[in-house]
Amino acid sequence: MAKKAISHILIEQDQIDAISKRLKRAHGQMGAVVRMLDEGRTCEEIVTQMAAVGKAINTAAFTLIAANLKECMKDEKQDSTAATEKLKKLFLSLA
């Protein structure tokens, strides 16, 4: 018997809003990086801003995975072991 693919769509609106807000902030920060390059800002300033973009994106991804894990654990129809394993792989993909 073939294994059923584990997938989940985030349904908690407060989590979706928080993740969306963080990604919009990262989007704005990325625009700032481009402007900084065009303006001839220092390497240190640009790299610092790029680090902030990376942190914002990673935090959004970790928040998304954690929220999905929480919802999957509540869903009695989900195979919690398989869901946990899949989300663990997603966490590790960000490392």
Side-chain angles (χ1 to χ4, degrees):
M1 179 191 245
K3 279 187 172 181
K4 182 181 174 193
I6 302 295
S7 63
H8 180 77
I9 297 172
L10 188 62
I11 58 174
E12 289 186 25
Q13 193 60 47
D14 61 329
Q15 291 295 322
I16 294 168
D17 293 345
I19 294 164
S20 179
K21 182 179 178 181
R22 187 169 298 279
L23 290 173
K24 287 174 185 173
R25 186 178 309 129
H27 184 263
Q29 289 172 320
M30 194 64 212
V33 169
V34 173
R35 283 190 303 279
M36 292 169 81
L37 281 168
D38 292 343
E39 295 167 358
R41 302 282 287 272
T42 69
C43 180
E44 183 179 357
E45 291 172 312
I46 295 168
V47 170
T48 299
Q49 188 66 28
M50 290 175 84
V53 172
K55 183 172 173 77
I57 291 170
N58 281 340
T59 300
F62 284 126
T63 303
L64 176 63
I65 294 167
N68 268 282
L69 181 58
K70 179 180 155 190
E71 287 183 8
C72 285
M73 293 305 178
K74 287 181 183 178
D75 185 354
E76 293 177 9
K77 293 176 265 178
Q78 282 277 11
D79 175 356
S80 63
T81 303
T84 301
E85 213 35 56
K86 181 172 184 173
L87 292 169
K88 177 181 165 185
K89 286 180 183 179
L90 288 174
F91 268 120
L92 292 174
S93 73
L94 295 171

